Amino acid sequence: GNRRFDTKKLVEYETWRSQASETEKQGVCTANYSLSTSYLQLTTMEGVDNYFEPMFYGYLMCGPVLSRVVVTLWSALIVILLRELVDMSVALVQMTRWTTSSTEIHQGLKSCTIHGIPPSRLVWMLFIVFLQFIIAVTLLIFGSLWLVRTSELSELLLNSLALSFVTDTDEMLFAALVPSIVKGMTARTEPFAMRHLPRFPPLRSIISACTVLTLLVV
């Protein structure tokens, strides 16, 4: 299973080291499977050796490299979700008709387009976007910590898949719980159109890159 080497466990291993015989310690360090005791220490030693297995002629170690790659991909996935939420917020504000109280929808033969929404619907939608933003940031922080603290390579890959599964739960709940007629209307609705903003430095790209690099370095 996944082992986290906190202070308590390190103290316990140090206690074992001071009490175990030389033969027992030598058997653990050399991966001697004939040992009748200290099996936990033996498996832990194997996990550490696998995690720090050298690669590329000894210049890099497998575990730290894979951990950084997985955290980078995970943070990039969350950054994409955050950018989509920002784009949605901008599109909603641009689409708001401040003097109306109803939603303007143009119904076509095969699709429908939303041309305007009232301020009350804007407030509700921004509240939903805010909740999604908080959830995404929480997943980014605690998901990255969870991945970094994973000490086994197989568990690291499985945990990354589990986190990516969590990000798809909203779509799965939508597909499972929403009536078919609503899903059909949603599928026929055209994406929100966002007017081009004045040219500024690519702040979104800069912030996204800084976020990924910060998590990678930390």
Side-chain angles (χ1 to χ4, degrees):
N2 184 22
R3 299 186 183 89
R4 295 180 180 178
F5 297 99
D6 52 17
T7 304
K8 180 176 179 295
K9 290 185 178 180
L10 292 177
V11 171
E12 291 174 351
Y13 277 113
E14 185 64 28
T15 302
W16 169 84
R17 182 174 178 272
S18 63
Q19 296 177 354
S21 63
E22 291 298 328
T23 303
E24 195 173 2
K25 288 186 286 187
Q26 184 68 21
V28 170
C29 294
T30 58
N32 187 352
Y33 287 94
S34 64
L35 288 175
S36 59
T37 59
S38 302
Y39 178 74
L40 177 60
Q41 287 75 15
L42 177 61
T43 55
T44 301
M45 190 68 184
E46 286 183 335
V48 172
D49 289 339
N50 292 333
Y51 189 83
F52 292 102
E53 182 179 357
M55 56 187 299
F56 296 113
Y57 303 100
Y59 290 102
L60 299 173
M61 290 177 289
C62 185
V65 170
L66 183 59
S67 179
R68 283 180 170 83
V69 170
V70 170
V71 171
T72 301
L73 295 177
W74 167 245
S75 58
L77 175 62
I78 296 298
V79 166
I80 292 173
L81 296 178
L82 294 176
R83 293 182 62 164
E84 291 177 352
L85 292 176
V86 172
D87 290 343
M88 180 183 294
S89 301
V90 174
L92 288 171
V93 172
Q94 293 178 349
M95 195 182 299
T96 302
R97 302 293 184 263
W98 302 100
T99 58
T100 185
S101 59
S102 59
T103 303
E104 301 175 11
I105 301 178
H106 179 265
Q107 183 69 43
L109 294 177
K110 296 183 178 180
S111 64
C112 59
T113 305
I114 300 177
H115 290 286
I117 59 175
S120 58
R121 191 171 295 274
L122 171 66
V123 173
W124 173 248
M125 292 296 296
L126 289 181
F127 175 71
I128 298 298
V129 170
F130 175 74
L131 292 180
Q132 291 179 320
F133 194 91
I134 295 299
I135 293 173
V137 172
T138 303
L139 286 174
L140 175 63
I141 296 174
F142 290 97
S144 299
L145 291 176
W146 188 37
L147 293 174
V148 169
R149 293 175 181 175
T150 303
S151 58
E152 294 187 10
L153 300 182
S154 59
E155 293 288 338
L156 182 61
L157 297 177
L158 291 176
N159 291 345
S160 62
L161 292 176
L163 286 175
S164 63
F165 173 80
V166 171
T167 59
D168 296 331
T169 52
D170 56 341
E171 297 181 2
M172 290 186 292
L173 291 175
F174 177 83
L177 302 179
V178 175
S180 299
I181 186 172
V182 177
K183 288 189 287 188
M185 293 176 59
T186 304
R188 293 196 305 270
T189 303
E190 294 292 335
F192 293 159
M194 185 174 65
R195 295 191 299 272
H196 292 290
L197 299 175
R199 290 185 175 273
F200 291 105
L203 295 179
R204 292 194 313 164
S205 299
I206 294 174
I207 295 174
S208 301
C210 290
T211 302
V212 174
L213 290 176
T214 300
L215 290 174
L216 180 61
V217 172
V218 173

